[in-house]
Amino acid sequence: MNETNGPDDDTLRDFIREAIREDLGAGRVESVVTRFPPEPNGYLHLGHAKSICLNFGIAEEFDGRCHLRFDDTNPVKEEMEYIESIMEDVRWLGFDWGDHLYYASDNFEQLYDWAEVLIGKGKAYVDDLSADDIRAYRGTLTEAGRNSPFRDRSQDENLDLFRRMRAGDFPDGARVLRAKIDMASGNINLRDPVLYRILHAAHPRTGDAWNIYPTYDFAHGQSDAIEHITHSICTLEFADHRPLYDWLIENLPVPSRPRQIEFSRLSLTHTVLSKRRLMQLVIDGHVRGWDDPRMPTLSGLRRRGIPPAAIRDFASRVAITKTEGTVEVALLEHCTRELLNKTAQRRMAVLTPLKVVIENYPEGGREDLEAINNPEDESAGTRRVPFSRELYIEREDFMEDPPKKFFRLGPGREVRLRYAYFITCTDVIKDDAGQVVELRCTYDPETRGGNAPDGRKVKGTLHWVSAADSLPVEVRLYDHLFTALNPGADSDFLDDLNPDSLTVLKNCRIEPSLAEHPQGETVQFERQGYFCLDPDSAPGKPVFNRAVGLRDTWAKIQAQSGSKG
Ligand code: ATP
Ligand code: MG
């Protein structure tokens, strides 16, 4: 895949970092200041994580700083709830903006003054055309636009009308303030772009103070300049806005000259990363909320049990380029596994229990066996797991009539119970419907700990829990939210929803050491994957989410494409 960097690079190299090195080398900037500028109209997702890791990462690498700035210029869609979740998510991802928290709305007064400066220079005018007419006059990619009949108003009239727009004298949409640039420009963004619109709407932070609001184009670059941002890194759709960005900076008495650099957005397979679509999934109830573990939102991934370090690793492997490309969501799962394999404690849990009675084990007998917490990390130590006459194993670890390659339990077969004993299945008990409901087994007391002194080998090692000591839990397994690689490519994206994205298992059993498991710590259930406690858990009623299974589909994808990852 050409969309990813090699994982072994210590120094991240991409065209943005190169450009910054050059700017520093040539003395064009003294120290690097970047910003992450979310609009608080939804929750952050993996695409934002790419931008956060890029902006905060660059600030760290170059000994500069990164600001968090809320781009809150559209009061209709913005809410405090989003502001709070965004701050929580950026912190969770591991980044700190220190004292540098800003809001575009803090600059409303300054932006207004600068709009009057443009009017004073004859570079902005109040237009009475309707939104539809403005669009019609704008022309097309192949056809020049036409000047508005209001374009040549006197400066005094413009100033008077603009002040009355601010005072609330006109209804929504009645007038706009436009920059006076060039209606024949080859770049549509320079055909007298709108700078202010009338909106009688309460703003989450400025309340009813304003009846007009600046557009993104007017607010963004000027906010960058006010904050002395040196490199304003944004996604490719703003490349065509750059001439306007620079025009405004040149024509206004701003305190600094930021440089805009664009890179391509992250797209992921089996996922949508548009706030509008994610919002629709939430509002229409296709998921349980912004933090549904199937969502690509940071709050969803956190709830699912994906550690922030895995997301940072993922972001560092996704190439920063100017070309659009799609990254396999399996890469994130791979980063998660690679990290958790090293750090997660192992536990035993049986997701679909089948009862096993060890007939030659004493009635009422019970012993604690030693289990290793993490074979990858000796310092994680060991724990005690209770063993008794009645156990549960995984239903799929038994077959009555096993094929050749099935190395687990079957009638007359011997397997190892991990950290415990070798057992042999002697009898199969069924209900009236012919369903296997219980296995009768014998154990070999000589094999305590899982090894036979006579050196005899078994091919299968099963996980298990003691029936009486284990605790019942609900387990939720997740699959891709969309079956299609590129949801919505051929039809409505909702048609591509995966009907089996959530599987709820109600009667699972966990070993007792998981009873007091802390929220937020992901563990490995042996042979099943990585799991964490869901906030839906209640005392005595734990619910576990599976973050990822153990099978690495990314490794397979890499092997098929024949390149290294
Ligand atoms: P909207 O369409 O509502 O503007 P947005 O996805 O651009 O949505 P913002 O809140 O404006 O959301 O994004 C904040 C920052 O994150 C911007 O700098 C934006 O370029 C960046 N960003 C958003 N989506 C992605 C993505 N998929 N990949 C990389 N960066 C992204
Ligand atoms: Mg945006």
Side-chain angles (χ1 to χ4, degrees):
M1 296 255 312
N2 58 358
E3 297 309 327
T4 54
N5 287 321
D8 306 326
D9 299 345
D10 282 343
T11 313
L12 293 169
R13 295 194 179 278
D14 52 64
F15 76 97
I16 296 181
R17 287 172 166 95
E18 288 310 323
I20 291 175
R21 273 184 203 106
E22 276 171 31
D23 284 344
L24 284 167
R28 284 190 289 272
V29 297
E30 268 171 39
S31 74
V32 176
V33 187
T34 56
R35 85 285 171 267
F36 173 64
E39 183 179 357
N41 61 355
Y43 280 65
L44 297 183
H45 54 59
L46 279 167
H48 296 118
K50 177 178 179 183
S51 172
I52 294 167
C53 291
L54 181 63
N55 280 294
F56 280 92
I58 283 174
E60 268 169 29
E61 288 154 45
F62 290 94
D63 248 340
R65 61 172 201 262
C66 181
H67 299 180
L68 176 62
R69 179 190 330 135
F70 286 100
D71 215 335
D72 55 347
T73 54
N74 182 2
V76 181
K77 292 192 185 157
E78 295 162 4
E79 286 173 32
M80 285 312 282
E81 175 197 344
Y82 301 134
I83 291 184
E84 276 151 26
S85 78
I86 288 169
M87 292 205 268
E88 184 185 357
D89 288 349
V90 175
R91 268 194 215 105
W92 174 74
L93 202 52
F95 298 105
D96 182 6
W97 53 88
D99 297 332
H100 298 284
L101 173 64
Y102 302 98
Y103 294 85
S105 57
D106 290 342
N107 303 326
F108 280 172
E109 198 63 52
Q110 175 68 79
L111 291 170
Y112 177 86
D113 288 347
W114 282 341
E116 288 206 352
V117 167
L118 284 182
I119 294 172
K121 288 178 158 185
K123 292 191 185 248
Y125 62 98
V126 172
D127 197 348
D128 300 359
L129 286 182
S130 67
D132 283 345
D133 283 339
I134 289 181
R135 212 168 299 123
Y137 274 74
R138 188 172 291 140
T140 64
L141 285 175
T142 51
E143 220 180 288
R146 283 174 292 143
N147 287 351
S148 162
F150 303 99
R151 197 174 197 258
D152 294 317
R153 279 184 157 137
S154 73
Q155 279 176 32
D156 286 346
E157 192 184 358
N158 279 321
L159 210 50
D160 173 61
L161 285 170
F162 187 50
R163 287 179 179 165
R164 286 169 60 198
M165 281 168 62
R166 175 179 183 165
D169 287 359
F170 311 115
D172 285 3
R175 294 191 158 84
V176 291
L177 183 76
R178 298 176 73 173
K180 194 176 198 172
I181 309 181
D182 178 6
M183 288 306 291
S185 171
N187 183 335
I188 290 187
N189 291 290
L190 295 180
R191 294 184 190 169
D192 293 7
V194 173
L195 306 180
Y196 268 91
R197 59 229 195 272
I198 301 174
L199 255 183
H200 296 268
H203 184 281
R205 299 190 76 250
T206 58
D208 293 324
W210 292 88
N211 300 304
I212 54 173
Y213 290 94
T215 54
Y216 170 88
D217 283 319
F218 193 58
H220 198 86
Q222 282 48 257
S223 297
D224 283 342
I226 290 168
E227 292 176 30
H228 292 265
I229 301 297
T230 55
H231 297 87
S232 180
I233 301 167
C234 61
T235 36
L236 278 183
E237 70 273 23
F238 294 106
D240 289 345
H241 295 237
R242 187 170 2 112
L244 173 57
Y245 185 102
D246 291 340
W247 186 90
L248 288 166
I249 294 286
E250 273 157 29
N251 283 286
L252 288 171
V254 292
S256 79
R257 284 190 122 263
R259 171 178 178 190
Q260 177 179 302
I261 305 179
E262 311 88 20
F263 71 102
S264 66
R265 285 186 166 251
L266 174 71
S267 319
L268 275 176
T269 57
H270 301 292
T271 313
V272 294
L273 289 182
S274 130
K275 277 191 275 192
R276 192 177 48 77
R277 285 176 166 186
L278 294 173
M279 176 92 72
Q280 194 180 344
L281 291 173
V282 173
I283 289 174
D284 295 353
H286 298 291
V287 293
R288 293 181 46 195
W290 284 100
D291 70 343
D292 187 301
R294 292 166 293 179
M295 291 279 271
T297 52
L298 298 186
S299 49
L301 297 167
R302 173 165 64 235
R303 182 165 180 178
R304 181 159 172 165
I306 308 286
I311 298 175
R312 293 196 300 269
D313 183 27
F314 169 76
S316 78
R317 296 193 198 194
V318 171
I320 304 295
T321 65
K322 285 244 182 216
T323 40
E324 307 275 357
T326 303
V327 175
E328 301 276 351
V329 72
L331 176 61
L332 175 65
E333 294 160 8
H334 172 76
C335 294
T336 303
R337 269 183 213 106
E338 205 171 72
L339 174 73
L340 289 173
N341 180 48
K342 286 188 228 123
T343 59
Q345 297 232 343
R346 272 56 166 176
R347 295 290 183 269
M348 289 200 284
V350 173
L351 303 191
T352 315
L354 174 61
K355 191 170 223 180
V356 169
V357 178
I358 313 286
E359 293 195 301
N360 59 339
Y361 196 83
E363 295 264 3
R366 186 182 182 283
E367 65 191 300
D368 280 333
L369 299 169
E370 189 171 42
I372 293 168
N373 283 330
N374 183 354
E376 303 284 320
D377 174 12
E378 219 176 294
S379 71
T382 60
R383 69 186 184 287
R384 297 265 156 191
V385 185
F387 184 86
S388 65
R389 186 178 146 91
E390 297 197 354
L391 312 168
Y392 292 116
I393 64 164
E394 210 69 62
R395 185 167 278 279
E396 64 177 26
D397 283 337
F398 172 80
M399 280 184 91
E400 205 177 358
D401 191 12
K404 252 216 165 84
K405 291 235 163 120
F406 187 83
F407 298 123
R408 294 169 261 169
L409 201 55
R413 290 190 171 209
E414 186 170 51
V415 295
R416 174 191 292 110
L417 294 182
R418 192 150 170 80
Y419 302 124
Y421 296 98
F422 286 13
I423 61 166
T424 304
C425 177
T426 52
D427 204 2
V428 179
I429 297 175
K430 298 183 186 172
D431 63 11
D432 293 343
Q435 252 267 80
V436 175
V437 291
E438 189 179 304
L439 303 177
R440 295 276 159 163
C441 296
T442 57
Y443 83 118
D444 177 355
E446 299 296 315
T447 57
R448 194 174 197 269
N451 290 304
D454 64 5
R456 116 182 153 264
K457 300 268 184 251
V458 286
K459 281 210 168 134
T461 299
L462 312 186
H463 62 277
W464 54 275
V465 293
S466 160
D469 300 282
S470 64
L471 305 162
V473 290
E474 177 179 322
V475 167
R476 299 176 184 167
L477 306 178
Y478 303 101
D479 196 354
H480 300 143
L481 190 50
F482 295 92
T483 44
L485 271 180
N486 181 5
D490 303 319
S491 58
D492 184 353
F493 80 107
L494 294 175
D495 294 342
D496 291 325
L497 275 169
N498 176 4
D500 302 316
S501 58
L502 168 64
T503 305
V504 178
L505 301 172
K506 292 273 187 195
N507 301 307
C508 314
R509 311 286 304 190
I510 51 172
E511 63 168 79
S513 72
L514 283 168
E516 309 274 290
H517 188 68
Q519 190 80 236
E521 186 191 326
T522 307
V523 289
Q524 184 188 107
F525 289 177
E526 297 217 15
R527 301 175 64 227
Q528 296 290 3
Y530 295 96
F531 293 77
C532 75
L533 212 54
D534 189 85
D536 280 350
S537 301
K541 292 198 158 177
V543 176
F544 278 89
N545 293 318
R546 182 161 74 186
V548 285
L550 292 179
R551 236 195 14 229
D552 197 332
T553 49
W554 173 249
K556 220 164 52 189
I557 292 166
Q558 289 301 91
Q560 277 162 5
S561 71
S563 64
K564 76 181 189 91

